[in-house]
Amino acid sequence: MTDAEIDYAAVFKGLPGMVALLTPDLVYADANEEFLRMSGRTREQVVGRFLFDVFPDNPNDPAATGMRNLETSLRRVTTTGERDTMALQRYDVESTTCPGKWEQRYWSPVNAPVLDPDGKVVLLVHRVEEVTELIRARGSSGGSRTRVLEAELYTRARELQEVNERLRSAHAREREVALVLQEAMLPTRRQGAGHQIAVRYRPAVGSLNVCGDWYDVVDLVGGNRIGVSVGDIVGHGLAAAGVMGQLRSALSATSRVADGPAEALDVLGRYANVVDGAESATVVTTFVDFDRHIITYSSAGHPPPALVHPDGRVEFLDRATDPPLDARPDPIPRPQASTGFSRGSTLVLYTDGLIERRHEDIDKGLARLADSLVRHQAIDPEALADAVLLELLPHGGATDDTALIIVRL
């Protein structure tokens, strides 16, 4: 049987467990038959309504936390695009036959995202297993000792959830510190001040996804020349941000005295060999000579820069690509290549968060980038940067950091 022959709506309705679909705004989009039966609600009472209008907290229990915990989990899934398994919850439900009467219920929920092709969360799968009867049955048959154990289990589950929340808060604080550190170490607009340059940095969504993406612009010695680079450090958080700062500063200094971008990356690779955390870092650097209208470039395992010519032709600078930094035990000279440009061309450097998507060939991401650049090439670099990010990054937020730098030549 093929996918076209399977009635997935019927499959959903017949699932043996309690499953509901929610929009990112926490409005019920659908609920299967088991969910409606176990919750004592009709489809009309559920679909199209806000989750917590259908299932509010018990107003008679000032210690009730079920609604708050569930909302926190669902918001987290919407933000991160990752599944969240909740601890055992007590979440009382109002009787449909006796309004004002609340029934003590225990649930084990799991919440998961449904993503569109761009990685945006479009629906939330809310699966619930009710364990109320199990707890009651064991409590009545096992005497006081079993009731104590059940209470202990519930207490430990609540404590575990609180510990998880504290851990997430700690990671969020680390992420905030890393972002501040990252911004402090990225270059100011004093470099390349005589040229039209736009830079953007977009951190990934989620508290655990701060990476070491960076960009750099330096004024080169001799003539009207600048060096433009982007790089990506493997890893997350403060450690990655620290390594990023070391490599960016080293490349900035080296570029000013190197004969070309290949030599600059040769020196940087040797430096990366003694920096913990710099393994497999990628970087591409370009030397732009405005007097001679020539771009010289070299890449250490990084996605190729894009050069948009005035006639709309997009050239990816991929003729001087080598392995990432510190990839070889005995480094050998890196390659470099040159290409010409006309006045009005646009040079674009970026990190892989802009073009890569799960389960997709990188060529599709490069094609998306080229299409966006050509359609918007007539606008200034600042507006172009915003347009490219808007079109290429997932609407729900990027799952990887993204650095972007655009130079109008």
Side-chain angles (χ1 to χ4, degrees), residues 118-337:
D118 292 329
K120 178 184 178 182
V121 177
V122 292
L123 285 173
L124 302 171
V125 178
H126 175 51
R127 183 182 67 79
V128 187
E129 181 180 1
E130 185 177 8
V131 294
T132 306
E133 293 304 322
L134 174 63
I135 290 179
R136 287 176 179 169
R138 293 185 62 181
S140 61
S141 63
S144 60
R145 177 174 173 77
T146 300
R147 285 193 291 272
V148 169
L149 289 175
E150 298 295 354
E152 182 73 10
L153 172 63
Y154 179 64
T155 300
R156 292 292 174 262
R158 291 283 301 276
E159 290 176 350
L160 178 60
Q161 182 163 311
E162 291 173 1
V163 169
N164 285 337
E165 291 299 332
R166 288 197 295 271
L167 285 173
R168 289 188 178 98
S169 297
H171 283 304
R173 287 194 295 272
E174 178 182 330
R175 179 177 187 268
E176 183 178 357
V177 172
L179 289 175
V180 172
L181 177 62
Q182 200 159 20
E183 290 179 2
M185 289 189 293
L186 291 176
T188 65
R189 298 300 297 276
R190 290 178 295 177
Q191 301 292 328
H195 304 284
Q196 295 185 66
I197 302 174
V199 295
R200 296 290 187 274
Y201 175 76
R202 294 291 184 270
V205 172
S207 60
L208 304 181
N209 290 322
V210 177
C211 303
D213 288 20
W214 54 273
Y215 58 82
D216 197 19
V217 181
V218 297
D219 294 319
L220 301 177
V221 177
N224 185 12
R225 300 191 306 146
I226 62 172
V228 185
S229 309
V230 294
D232 189 355
I233 309 301
V234 176
H236 306 280
L238 289 172
V243 174
M244 175 274 291
Q246 294 180 73
L247 294 188
R248 189 202 67 80
S249 298
L251 181 59
S252 181
T254 302
S255 296
R256 288 178 167 85
V257 297
D259 289 335
E263 183 179 1
L265 291 187
D266 283 340
V267 175
L268 184 65
R270 287 173 170 80
Y271 176 67
N273 189 50
V274 298
V275 176
D276 290 338
E279 301 85 1
S280 300
T282 68
V283 59
V284 61
T285 184
T286 62
F287 285 15
V288 182
D289 189 327
F290 288 92
D291 293 332
R292 300 171 58 205
H293 286 194
I294 291 177
I295 299 172
T296 307
Y297 61 92
S298 184
S299 173
H302 201 82
L307 177 62
V308 186
H309 295 275
D311 62 1
R313 179 171 58 94
V314 177
E315 176 185 357
F316 284 104
L317 309 185
D318 56 5
R319 293 185 290 113
T321 300
D322 220 27
L325 299 179
D326 198 28
R328 294 192 181 103
D330 300 311
I332 61 176
R334 291 185 179 271
Q336 73 179 32

Side-chain angles (χ1 to χ4, degrees), residues 59-81:
N60 304 316
D61 182 1
T65 60
M67 186 175 75
R68 182 186 66 196
N69 295 338
L70 179 56
E71 182 174 13
T72 298
S73 174
L74 292 167
R75 298 295 186 194
R76 182 182 301 120
V77 174
T78 303
T79 300
T80 65

